[in-house]
Amino acid sequence: MPRYVAFLGSINVGGNRLTMAELRHALEREDFVNVETVVASGNVLFDHDDRPTRGLEEKLEYVLRERFDMRSIAAVRSRDEVADAIAGNPFAADGEEKLVHTMFLEDDADPAQFRVLLADHEGRGPERLALGPRALYIDYAGGVGTSRLTAPFIERRLGRRGTARNIRSLRRILTKMDEQ
């Protein structure tokens, strides 16, 4: 059975509160196997019958909606997709691990919309941006907490929901995926 990770957006922020034990229990009832959370809330490793990751995203979002009344993105990636997100991030080599992020998107972003994002962000901060497969690579060079490049700002311009993780977390998640 292949190993996957789900990057859940907006878990344990705002009104979206649930324990990881509740989440594990709900997923195990839906045929997710070897469910464990890793690094921080919102990162869920699991085994599942081989299935396209988009189908698993729909299934996870359904569980969150039906069991917990939460509307959250569930960006599911295979082990190889996580490795590719790290290797494909053009800022990983020269940026700080905690400041270089991959924002996992629910679908590929349109290059024209990406150009709109770049134009609208021009002059707003030192961040560097690059587009990847179902991902946006970001170097929050000036710090994440003070950045004006927020998820809603990005999502409105790309027309895609997403959830971001820094390179340090992604490397730890990949290590955990390889332990199975």
Side-chain angles (χ1 to χ4, degrees), residues 89-108:
N89 190 318
F91 313 120
D94 66 349
E96 274 188 67
E97 277 190 328
K98 67 180 183 180
L99 299 179
V100 174
H101 286 66
T102 296
M103 181 178 215
F104 295 97
L105 303 172
E106 62 190 342
D107 204 354
D108 286 316

Side-chain angles (χ1 to χ4, degrees), residues 3-23:
R3 190 87 169 140
Y4 298 94
V5 62
F7 300 106
L8 307 178
S10 303
I11 298 295
N12 292 331
V13 296
N16 288 334
R17 303 258 182 231
L18 80 148
T19 69
M20 292 301 103
E22 290 172 314
L23 180 60

Side-chain angles (χ1 to χ4, degrees), residues 41-94:
S41 59
N43 301 312
V44 183
L45 296 176
F46 61 90
D47 298 337
H48 198 284
D49 290 332
D50 196 12
R51 187 177 202 176
T53 54
R54 291 174 201 234
L56 290 170
E57 289 170 348
E58 291 172 8
K59 187 174 180 179
L60 273 158
E61 288 176 9
Y62 174 82
V63 170
L64 290 171
R65 189 173 54 252
E66 294 301 311
R67 300 226 185 215
F68 304 107
D69 196 30
M70 297 172 78
R71 300 206 180 279
S72 178
I73 182 174
V76 176
R77 300 298 188 266
S78 68
R79 182 254 177 242
D80 289 344
E81 288 172 315
V82 173
D84 290 347
I86 295 168
N89 190 318
F91 313 120
D94 66 349

Side-chain angles (χ1 to χ4, degrees), residues 89-152:
N89 190 318
F91 313 120
D94 66 349
E96 274 188 67
E97 277 190 328
K98 67 180 183 180
L99 299 179
V100 174
H101 286 66
T102 296
M103 181 178 215
F104 295 97
L105 303 172
E106 62 190 342
D107 204 354
D108 286 316
D110 181 282
Q113 289 175 295
F114 177 65
R115 287 190 294 275
V116 169
L117 171 64
L118 290 174
D120 287 355
H121 183 62
E122 181 82 26
R124 291 176 55 97
E127 297 83 8
R128 299 183 293 170
L129 303 166
L131 205 51
R134 289 195 310 155
L136 177 67
Y137 303 122
I138 308 166
D139 180 4
Y140 285 101
V144 178
T146 58
S147 177
R148 294 172 60 195
L149 185 65
T150 63

Side-chain angles (χ1 to χ4, degrees), residues 164-179:
R165 301 297 185 273
N166 67 36
I167 290 294
R168 178 182 295 159
S169 294
L170 292 177
R171 287 183 176 138
R172 288 177 59 196
I173 289 166
L174 186 61
T175 297
K176 285 293 274 183
M177 293 179 89
D178 286 341
E179 290 173 359

